[in-house]
């Protein structure tokens, strides 16, 4: 079966790009009839996201677009000018295109792991109050490297993406006892079923 439907995914940076490329491999090998076209934005600020979206839309007027963003900066900056700007996402004419991760992409990746590994990460999140005040990368990267010494931004914590990893992602994303959530995981599950 050919990958005949394309969906553009505007994403923050190289980690998301690497994930989408690996996800496309899974989709191709399992004969799904769609694929994602990753387009890195490099930022989460509304004006830049909107600029990239307009640029991509102009070149792809009929192709569906989804925008994957982490919510960490908006949660940390609540009440600030950046937060005021972020309300534009909700008020935009294309708000149904936005898919937010709570809180960062590495949290999203952790949802793919078995219960024990995810629980180790959640314990670290509790120790740092990450649920309420999202850590900056300078804080969470050493914690992740403590669990996965070879991990670097722009890479995946794991490879390949397989059915077990996706089952974990969907199960954990739906578990109300886990604060980490992903609109993209919900979207992906709906596309795969």
């Amino acid at each position: 079966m050919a990958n005949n439907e394309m969906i553009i995914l505007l994403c923050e940076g190289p980690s998301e790009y690497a994930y989408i490329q690996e996800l496309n491999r899974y989709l191709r090998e399992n004969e799904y009839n769609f694929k994602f076209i990753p387009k890195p934005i490099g930022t989460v600020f509304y004006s830049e996201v909107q600029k990239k979206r307009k640029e991509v839309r102009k070149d792809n007027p009929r192709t569906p677009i989804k925008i994957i963003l982490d919510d960490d900066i908006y949660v940390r900056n609540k009440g600030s000018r950046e937060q005021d700007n972020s309300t534009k996402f909700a008020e935009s004419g294309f708000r149904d295109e936005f898919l937010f991760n709570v809180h960062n992409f590495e949290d999203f990746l952790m949802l793919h792991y078995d219960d024990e590994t995810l629980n180790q990460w959640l314990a670290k999140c509790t120790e740092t109050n990450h649920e309420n005040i999202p850590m900056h990368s300078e804080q969470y990267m050493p914690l992740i490297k403590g669990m996965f010494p070879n991990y670097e931004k722009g890479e995946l914590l794991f490879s390949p993406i397989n059915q077990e990893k996706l089952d974990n992602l969907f199960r954990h994303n739906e578990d109300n006892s886990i604060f980490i959530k992903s609109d993209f995981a919900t979207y992906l599950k709906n596309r795969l079923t």
Side-chain angles (χ1 to χ4, degrees):
M1 186 181 297
N3 285 338
N4 52 13
E5 182 186 0
M6 295 187 299
I7 301 140
I8 295 171
L9 290 180
L10 300 184
C11 56
E12 285 186 46
S15 297
E16 292 86 349
Y17 185 89
Y19 178 86
I20 295 164
Q21 293 294 80
E22 177 62 18
L23 180 59
N24 278 334
R25 182 207 49 79
Y26 172 84
L27 296 173
R28 183 178 57 255
E29 288 178 1
N30 288 280
E31 299 184 346
Y32 284 93
N33 66 351
F34 68 95
K35 69 178 181 179
F36 296 112
I37 309 299
K39 303 268 185 187
I41 305 166
T43 184
V44 298
F45 292 107
Y46 180 79
S47 60
E48 294 301 314
V49 172
Q50 184 182 42
K51 179 179 171 184
K52 182 72 171 183
R53 183 194 172 278
K54 284 181 181 179
E55 171 189 309
V56 170
R57 174 55 68 216
K58 180 180 175 189
D59 294 338
N60 303 277
R62 293 188 177 100
T63 306
I65 295 176
K66 293 293 182 184
I67 304 164
I68 304 172
L69 298 173
D70 298 335
D71 78 353
D72 56 350
I73 191 168
Y74 304 112
V75 173
R76 279 195 304 267
N77 293 327
K78 206 172 219 172
S80 71
R81 197 169 144 191
E82 287 86 359
Q83 177 62 22
D84 293 340
N85 284 334
S86 75
T87 60
K88 293 177 182 175
F89 286 122
E91 297 167 356
S92 72
F94 52 96
R95 69 176 167 221
D96 62 327
E97 294 177 359
F98 290 103
L99 303 170
F100 282 95
N101 290 321
V102 175
H103 286 301
N104 58 55
F105 193 67
E106 285 75 11
D107 290 326
F108 166 76
L109 293 176
M110 290 295 187
L111 292 174
H112 293 73
Y113 278 96
D114 59 77
D115 294 348
E116 182 180 339
T117 304
L118 177 60
N119 286 333
Q120 288 174 20
W121 179 245
L122 291 171
K124 293 177 185 304
C125 292
T126 299
E127 291 169 8
T128 61
N129 196 26
H130 180 59
E131 181 176 358
N132 299 308
I133 304 170
M135 292 182 276
H136 292 270
S137 61
E138 299 82 28
Q139 295 169 290
Y140 67 74
M141 282 303 293
L143 298 175
I144 290 175
K145 284 183 141 313
M147 294 174 68
F148 304 96
N150 296 324
Y151 177 67
E152 298 292 335
K153 280 276 200 186
E155 299 176 0
L156 289 179
L157 284 171
F158 54 81
S159 185
I161 291 175
N162 57 31
Q163 190 62 52
E164 179 184 1
K165 295 281 190 230
L166 292 175
D167 288 345
N168 286 337
L169 169 66
F170 302 144
R171 181 171 52 85
H172 292 143
N173 193 53
E174 293 173 352
D175 186 333
N176 290 331
S177 70
I178 299 171
F179 79 91
I180 300 169
K181 298 294 173 210
S182 171
D183 295 337
F184 179 69
T186 302
Y187 172 77
L188 181 60
K189 182 179 181 186
N190 289 336
R191 287 301 316 236
L192 296 179
T193 55

